[in-house]
Amino acid sequence: MTAEMASLITRQGGEPLVAPALREVPRAPRAEVLAFGERLLAGEVDVVVLLTGVGTRQLVRALEARRDRVVEALGRTVLVARGPKPVRALAELGLTPTHVVAEPNTWRELLRLLDERVPVEGRRVAVQEYGMPNEALYDGLAERGAVVTRVPVYQWALPEDTAPLADAVGALVDGRADVVLFTNAAQVSHLMQIAERDGRGRALRRALGRVAVFSVGPTTSEMLREFGLPVDGEPEHPKMGHLVRAAAERAREVLAAKRALVVEPAPVLADAAAARTRLEQSLFLRACRREPVPTTPVWLMRQAGRYMKEYRALREQVDFLALCRRPDLAAEVTVNAVERLGVDAAILFSDLLVVAEPLGFPVRYTRGEGPVIERPIRRAADVDRVLDADPAESLAYVFEAVRRSRAALPADVPLVGFAAAPFTLASYLIEGEGSRSHLHTKTLMYRDPGAWAALMERLVATLVPYVNGQIAAGAQAVQLFDSWVGVCSPADYRAFVLPHTRRLIAGITPGTPVIHFGTQTASLLEAMREAGGDVIGLDWRIGLDAAWARLGDVAVQGNLDPAVLLAPPDVIRAQAARVLAEAAGRPGHVFNLGHGILPPTPLDHVRVLVDAVHELSAGTRSSRPSGS
């Protein structure tokens, strides 16, 4: 389709550089196809899944000697066509599919159709393969109890002449291309294969971070993400014409945003030392160092979020992940929260799972249901799918958001960067979504401690440079969220979690306060203290005074129940006073919630809390020294 693609690009005003990346090669030997034919004719196949038109035709052609009988047998079988192309191929045989997979015709829609219309548990399902095996589809069928027969009829191979593909790599690396269009998942693999062959794999990855990358549809996008590559856009329909039009409409915007990430070094200001001093002497950083302060500093988890009308208005225009990936908007949200609330520290607007995609695990957010990770880790072999991510390349937008936030914040308001702690990140990658029991996580942990340790080591290897990159970009402190670690017993925490969290904290840039936070961790506090952190974050399920007595010489953060902010203002003030009384004016207390602000919370109630903390804590410290 090279000529067609070149024509489409030219009509949209672009200058095409078309590099053929595939050729179809019939699979040999044909034993699998012949065996399928025997089972089909014997009535031993219940469902046939046809993934491509070319594959459907080649399948019948391979059984040409018994064509009439094969067509007749197919007519007695449940036929599932993955979109219009196999439908047309079946029509040429005089057949009509029993079911057609809806757009965008990916394996996910295929499995959804089977769930709704063709339950496959215990049924014999044959899948016409194409190009390369879709292991995610096979895993899904196996999970549903299907007895699967693979029928490979052709495979994708590199073109006989790979020079145009090598030229495309050169054009990208040398900056001679602005936009890349992928129309097939195997193209991604072949492009990277040629780049690695020529010793330009790393350079190509960097180059693809600077250009606009458009994918024809979800299957191709998934392959890009598995290689840790960006996906800047998909068309509404997975067709070439729609792809070119989508790129023509959005490429300038994408390129402008990416090029804005290239920041000139900040000029050295005469008062830079004074600005650093103001930050170091801020209430928040002094409290993190357990120095006396005139008033208790306060900031709040999710202080920028759905309870703010400005944030909701922004989300009407930009989806959540796009907002995280836009440094200008992420900084705007970060700074706006500080301005609206009068808190003593900002926390970067981002998400715990932005690091998942560079690791090879794309994330999608479903409205009202939270993050979902496709193809989660469930066994030791899946750990091998975890990529060696380079945050400097794949998460540059986070670091740029830090720079922009730091530049826009008041000089005495520190910025808190953050990341998921290793256990919580591992749990997301294993469970694939939110969980109460964490059975998949614990199953891997108990059944294969070696695989668990290997996974945690790989995560720490990425988290250390990710956290340090935020610090280098301008964060004054970092918080590690171990939101799910409370499902562990103390013994399991020490065996499976503590060593890895300790290694992460030990790798963080010295001199940067680390807040180590978890929920439902009343039984784990001493072990968390051993793992490390300058400040231990507490949820509301334990009294702050009792927790601090157990922790000893360390700062603490917390720990008001977020639901209190739904109560009347006098109740909010009373509950704030209770937490402050438990802290008893002891140096080293950072006031916060026991978890994030809830979406229904009135903004005015949040301001009531911030004002109450400042006012009430100043009253308890009227006779205390304010110097460090």
Side-chain angles (χ1 to χ4, degrees), residues 595-613:
H595 206 228
I597 295 177
L598 300 169
T601 302
L603 177 65
D604 288 346
H605 287 199
V606 182
R607 283 198 291 251
V608 166
L609 174 65
V610 173
D611 292 344
V613 171

Side-chain angles (χ1 to χ4, degrees), residues 42-43 54 88 170 179 205 254 258 281 344 356 360 452 471 481 509 577:
V54 171
R88 288 195 291 271
V179 183
R205 289 175 184 274
V254 170
K258 287 194 171 186
Q281 291 303 308
D344 297 297
W452 172 263
I471 295 167
F481 284 85
T509 303

Side-chain angles (χ1 to χ4, degrees), residues 466-489:
Y466 176 50
V467 171
N468 287 339
Q470 294 179 54
I471 295 167
Q476 280 69 54
V478 291
Q479 175 157 310
L480 300 179
F481 284 85
D482 222 346
S483 308
W484 287 359
V485 79
V487 302
C488 292
S489 69

Side-chain angles (χ1 to χ4, degrees), residues 5 32 47 49 84 282 293 308 336 394 401 463 508-509 514 546 585 625 628:
M5 280 296 291
E32 299 100 325
V47 181
V49 178
S282 64
V293 288
M308 283 188 164
N336 181 61
S394 54
L463 288 169
I508 293 174
T509 303
V514 176
S628 58

Side-chain angles (χ1 to χ4, degrees), residues 57 129 141 173 206 250 288 315 333 335 339 381 413 447 464 482 553 562 610-611:
R57 295 183 183 95
E129 276 189 2
L141 290 170
V173 170
R206 284 198 298 269
R250 294 194 49 216
C288 290
R315 282 292 312 280
V333 172
V335 175
E339 294 173 345
V413 175
R447 285 186 179 174
V464 168
D482 222 346
D553 293 334
V610 173
D611 292 344

